Amino acid sequence: MSLFLDELLARIPRTARWAAVITIPFAVTACGGSSDPEETLAIASSTTTLHVEADDLPEDVAQVLAQPVFHIAPVLPEPPGDLDVLDANQSAAVTPSFKVVPQAFRSVSTRRLMPYTLDGTPTSAASSGFSGVEEVAEPLASATGVTTYSVAQVRAAYGFSALPAVGSKPVGLQAALLGAGQTIYIVAARHNPNVAAELAAFNQKFGLPTCTSRVLPPATPLPLAAASQSAGCELVVAYSSPAGGISASAPAYDSGWATEIALDVQWAHAMAPLARIVLVESPDPSLNNLLAAIRLANTMGPGVVSMSFGAQEGTWTGSVDSVFSVAGMTYLAATGDSGASVNWPSVSPNVIAVGGTTLTYNGGARSEVSWTGTGGGTSAYTPAPVYQKTALPVVGSVVRRTVADVAMNADPSTGQYVAVMSPGGSAVQWITAGGTSLSSPMWAGLVAVTNASRLQASRTLLGGAHSLLYGQIGAVSGNYANAFLDIRLGSHGSCGTCSAKVGYDQLSGLGTPNAAAFVSLLSGASAPPQAPVVTPASISGTVGTALTFTAAVIAPNPVTFSLSGAPLGMAVSAAGIVSWPTPLAGSYAVTVVAKDTVTGLTGQGVYNVNVAAPVAPVVQGASIAGRPGVPLSFKPGVTSANPVTYALTGAPAGMVVGSDGVVSWPSPVIGTFNMALTAKDTKTGLSGKGDFTVKIAAAGPVISASAMVGVAGKPLSGSISISSPGSSYLSVSIAGVPLGMGFSVAGTTITAKWPSPVTGSYRLLVTAKDSAGLSAQLAVPVTITAK
């Protein structure tokens, strides 16, 4: 159980009340296998029920611990070969590594499975799996084996540029396509003392540029100097303080977070090999300290922030959105690895939420499906941001912030190599890692490459890139098809939106990148003017109800609107709001035309407007039972689009219906009565009718009992008799039971026993209900005197 869950359970108040239930047949023998009619159940309760039958952040939020969201396959892969040591691109053309999962490990959870045992010693390379901590059983998507991809294979699969010759010094555009001059901030918790050595081993094995490394002293002036365009890769480590400054002390070691850090640093570097990596280590994974680490990154200068951790969203998430709004910064976060769910920080509208896929690649075109474990969903608290409100062709309509925005490979059964070391050791252990922890730093690398290429073309940094992702790419079908692979298969739950589909979905967002086209599209020196894009839609309405809708338009400049093919009475405002005060039944194809006021270019979209004839109210009939002389009241089920009025026909004398639809009869008489309730729509005049049968019967439970009088400390007993001729069962509830009193049942007689009464006056409220739904109540006084 997680610490967060422990804390949550601790806040749930315990109740001092307990419920005791006895179930016995309507005969002499008691239920539960006992044939002793005197068997007594001791009850310490105020109410006993018996059934007689035939059968910045609030302080508590600030201390919530975020979790890293990586997965490790339960088998060690074959270590990567030396194909890429001298030629960094060579393994791209070969079949990726595959390891069969032994039957015993095919149901092993991969969630945060640690490469070290709890005492910090590394697991043996010869072992079949890893020891460590895991929380939820999430077996591999593949039941038989694990595929592990190299750097060259992943770069080739997603269309990144070829890596330079080992040891060379790229310049100009080639350097830009490797992220030169850009900074990637990896925000994580705890400390990985081997991060530089692990990265060096990773670089050597896959022919990547080597990286210098250093730790920032507390007195470092901020912001940092801009990353060098020509000096190559640099790994910078900063220990964050709770105040958002630079600390002199490294955080405590944690094997899980150390693995997360190794994964993040290595795969951000793999995608942007010449970018500067700044690792910001928070002292612990509490939300307060992680926010402080993000603020520290914000003060260090423009760049890309990758966050491979998550905590469940809450009402508080919007209060910290400002931390993700610094100019020149692009923020990315993993959506999580527990299936359909929404986590912070990925839910922030200022953060690019990165989901996960299952990758298949063997040197040709890649294919992908959404990973079953990927997070994603609709926020319960965050409103839909502007970039998701515009009903883009690939997005549709969302009511609140929906994640993911984008995706990359995350399935641990199609994972990627990561080099890890035990504390104080030098031996490299190769593991297969996955999770949206993997997809987030890879996307951070892609954004860094895009920023470097934009600067080459004299353009600004991407910054908050959502408008470009959803607008310049997602809203333009040609751009979308070139820049993204639309992931259309897979599911991560059983909800209505839990399956991938054409265009945007919560599992993979817009999809996975075609890197070369993505970078080219967002970094081109110039682009032709874009015509407004009007998103078509289907609109439904009803006769008699005014109809309005807003045309969804994406345009670089203000536009004017006009309608073509509109029915009489329909109009469009300057803001693009289409209105029809008195719609008529029928289907209409209305073309909304938007004209760019600067370029004169126009775009249009067809809105299919369907106006249905009004529907009469629906009244659900029912059978109602009652007792003579006992007031009767019920409210029929009525469905109507508009307010209604009610009328009764065939009702017995004294029965009436109120304006709220409640039928009441103060003094019912014995008999069976057939009646009808009519509901009339106050706007359309249409009516609906439901038939009701009301049966008033004299039968019902009869309770007999005498007052119980006793003396303190001396055993007391009393009898309660219940009868209901013709019933198949009785349900009896006794409230007001003093502590220590118990009951036994023999036939239809309930015996109360109180071995040691306490002075006072008590009142047992006995309620009996039979199989016909008829009930009776009796109050039984209990008086205990001192002598």
Side-chain angles (χ1 to χ4, degrees):
M1 181 178 296
S2 68
L3 178 59
F4 174 71
L5 183 56
D6 287 337
E7 293 173 342
L8 181 64
L9 290 175
R11 291 198 292 268
I12 299 176
R14 268 64 170 178
T15 176
R17 298 179 179 267
W18 295 85
V21 177
I22 305 175
T23 303
I24 60 176
F26 197 19
V28 176
T29 305
C31 181
S34 172
S35 59
D36 181 5
E38 298 299 316
E39 178 178 330
T40 301
L41 175 67
I43 299 172
S45 168
S46 61
T47 301
T48 304
T49 301
L50 302 97
H51 296 285
V52 187
E53 58 185 304
D55 297 32
D56 130 270
L57 294 176
E59 181 62 26
D60 58 335
V61 174
Q63 297 307 315
V64 168
L65 302 183
Q67 296 287 351
V69 286
F70 67 85
H71 283 235
I72 296 175
V75 291
L76 295 173
E78 294 297 333
D82 293 330
L83 280 176
D84 298 328
V85 171
L86 298 178
D87 180 355
N89 302 291
Q90 194 167 348
S91 68
V94 304
T95 302
S97 172
F98 181 82
K99 188 75 171 287
V100 173
V101 178
Q103 186 70 40
F105 290 94
R106 291 184 184 177
S107 61
V108 170
S109 168
T110 61
R111 172 187 279 269
R112 293 191 291 281
L113 191 65
M114 303 304 182
Y116 308 114
T117 57
L118 292 179
D119 64 1
T121 58
T123 57
S124 169
S127 68
S128 298
F130 295 96
S131 299
V133 178
E134 48 87 14
E135 293 180 352
V136 181
E138 295 176 57
L140 288 168
S142 167
T144 60
V146 174
T147 297
T148 309
Y149 292 104
S150 70
V151 170
Q153 289 161 348
V154 172
R155 290 182 63 89
Y158 286 107
F160 282 79
S161 63
L163 289 167
V166 175
S168 64
K169 295 283 187 181
V171 296
L173 181 58
Q174 185 185 22
L177 292 174
L178 299 172
Q182 298 304 302
T183 299
I184 300 173
Y185 298 98
I186 303 294
V187 176
R190 302 301 188 188
H191 179 52
N192 181 348
N194 298 314
V195 60
E198 291 166 339
L199 179 60
F202 186 82
N203 290 340
Q204 188 275 335
K205 185 60 68 173
F206 296 115
L208 292 167
T210 58
C211 302
T212 60
S213 63
R214 61 190 173 103
V215 176
L216 290 182
T220 302
L222 298 179
L224 299 174
S228 172
Q229 295 278 351
S230 57
C233 168
E234 182 185 23
L235 172 64
V236 180
V237 181
Y239 308 139
S240 173
S241 72
I246 301 174
S247 172
S249 301
Y253 169 80
D254 176 272
S255 65
W257 281 99
T259 304
E260 179 65 62
I261 291 169
L263 183 158
D264 292 350
V265 168
Q266 290 168 34
W267 280 96
H269 175 63
M271 300 297 100
L274 293 183
R276 176 172 63 187
I277 307 289
V278 177
L279 170 62
V280 182
E281 293 182 335
S282 166
D284 64 50
S286 66
L287 299 193
N288 251 0
N289 280 334
L290 286 171
L291 283 166
I294 296 166
R295 293 189 182 97
L296 175 57
N298 286 340
T299 65
M300 290 182 170
V304 184
V305 180
S306 178
M307 299 167 286
S308 292
F309 53 81
Q312 186 176 359
E313 68 164 345
T315 56
W316 53 271
T317 52
S319 67
V320 294
D321 276 344
S322 60
V323 78
F324 305 119
S325 58
V326 174
M329 301 291 274
T330 303
Y331 304 89
L332 302 101
T335 60
D337 299 344
S338 299
S341 58
V342 179
N343 286 343
W344 178 89
S346 66
V347 70
S348 170
N350 301 324
V351 172
I352 297 174
V354 187
T357 62
T358 298
L359 171 67
T360 300
Y361 179 76
N362 197 12
R366 79 179 185 273
S367 64
E368 289 176 276
V369 299
S370 293
W371 176 40
T372 57
T374 188
T378 299
S379 172
Y381 310 101
T382 304
V386 172
Y387 54 81
Q388 287 187 331
K389 278 184 179 178
T390 51
L392 297 173
V394 296
V395 176
S397 178
V398 297
V399 294
R400 290 182 296 277
R401 167 66 165 141
T402 304
V403 294
D405 296 310
V406 295
M408 280 182 93
N409 184 41
D411 188 341
S413 67
T414 61
Q416 298 167 203
Y417 282 108
V418 173
V420 295
M421 296 178 179
S422 60
S426 59
V428 177
Q429 176 82 63
W430 291 99
I431 60 175
T432 303
T436 51
S437 275
L438 178 63
S439 49
S440 180
M442 289 198 294
W443 256 96
L446 175 59
V447 173
V449 168
T450 305
N451 276 337
S453 300
R454 286 173 66 87
L455 293 179
Q456 280 281 313
S458 300
R459 305 184 76 176
T460 59
L461 299 175
L462 287 174
H466 290 93
S467 60
L468 294 175
L469 292 175
Y470 284 87
Q472 184 176 339
I473 298 178
V476 183
S477 58
N479 290 349
Y480 181 55
N482 288 333
F484 280 96
L485 175 64
D486 183 11
I487 310 303
R488 304 179 179 186
L489 296 175
S491 62
H492 67 165
S494 57
C495 65
T497 56
C498 286
S499 295
K501 61 181 181 65
V502 174
Y504 177 88
D505 55 66
Q506 68 185 37
L507 296 84
S508 60
L510 296 169
T512 59
N514 299 319
F518 181 93
V519 173
S520 177
L521 185 64
L522 292 183
S523 63
S526 61
Q530 297 293 318
V533 176
V534 182
T535 304
S538 295
I539 307 297
S540 297
T542 304
V543 171
T545 302
L547 178 69
T548 62
F549 63 90
T550 301
V553 179
I554 298 174
N557 305 301
V559 298
T560 58
F561 293 94
S562 60
L563 299 178
S564 175
L568 185 65
M570 181 180 284
V572 62
S573 71
I577 300 173
V578 180
S579 58
W580 194 6
T582 56
L584 303 175
S587 297
Y588 310 88
V590 180
T591 301
V592 177
V593 181
K595 182 177 181 179
D596 190 307
T597 57
V598 175
T599 66
L601 297 175
T602 61
Q604 62 186 41
V606 176
Y607 285 74
N608 293 307
V609 180
N610 298 295
V611 180
V615 178
V618 176
V619 181
Q620 297 176 349
S623 295
I624 309 298
R627 296 180 64 184
V630 178
L632 178 68
S633 176
F634 63 92
K635 185 173 184 179
V638 178
T639 303
S640 176
N642 304 301
V644 298
T645 58
Y646 299 94
L648 286 173
T649 55
M655 180 180 285
V656 296
V657 61
S659 59
D660 58 356
V662 175
V663 178
S664 57
W665 193 4
S667 299
V669 296
I670 295 176
T672 300
F673 307 91
N674 295 314
M675 45 169 283
L677 176 71
T678 300
K680 183 177 181 180
D681 190 308
T682 57
K683 287 190 176 183
T684 66
L686 297 176
S687 297
K689 185 174 71 173
D691 296 321
F692 294 82
T693 299
V694 178
K695 184 176 182 179
I696 306 299
V702 177
I703 307 172
S704 301
S706 299
M708 301 180 195
V709 178
V711 177
K714 295 183 178 181
L716 172 71
S717 66
S719 296
I720 303 171
S721 297
I722 302 171
S723 64
S724 183
S727 297
S728 59
Y729 71 85
L730 287 171
S731 175
V732 180
S733 175
I734 305 176
V737 181
L739 186 67
M741 180 176 284
F743 301 88
S744 63
V745 181
T748 60
T749 299
I750 299 172
T751 300
K753 294 183 179 182
W754 196 357
S756 183
V758 178
T759 301
S761 296
Y762 309 88
R763 179 175 176 270
L764 304 181
L765 183 61
V766 183
T767 303
K769 186 174 182 181
D770 66 14
S771 55
L774 302 178
S775 62
Q777 267 190 350
L778 179 66
V780 181
V782 180
T783 304
I784 307 299
T785 62
K787 295 183 179 180

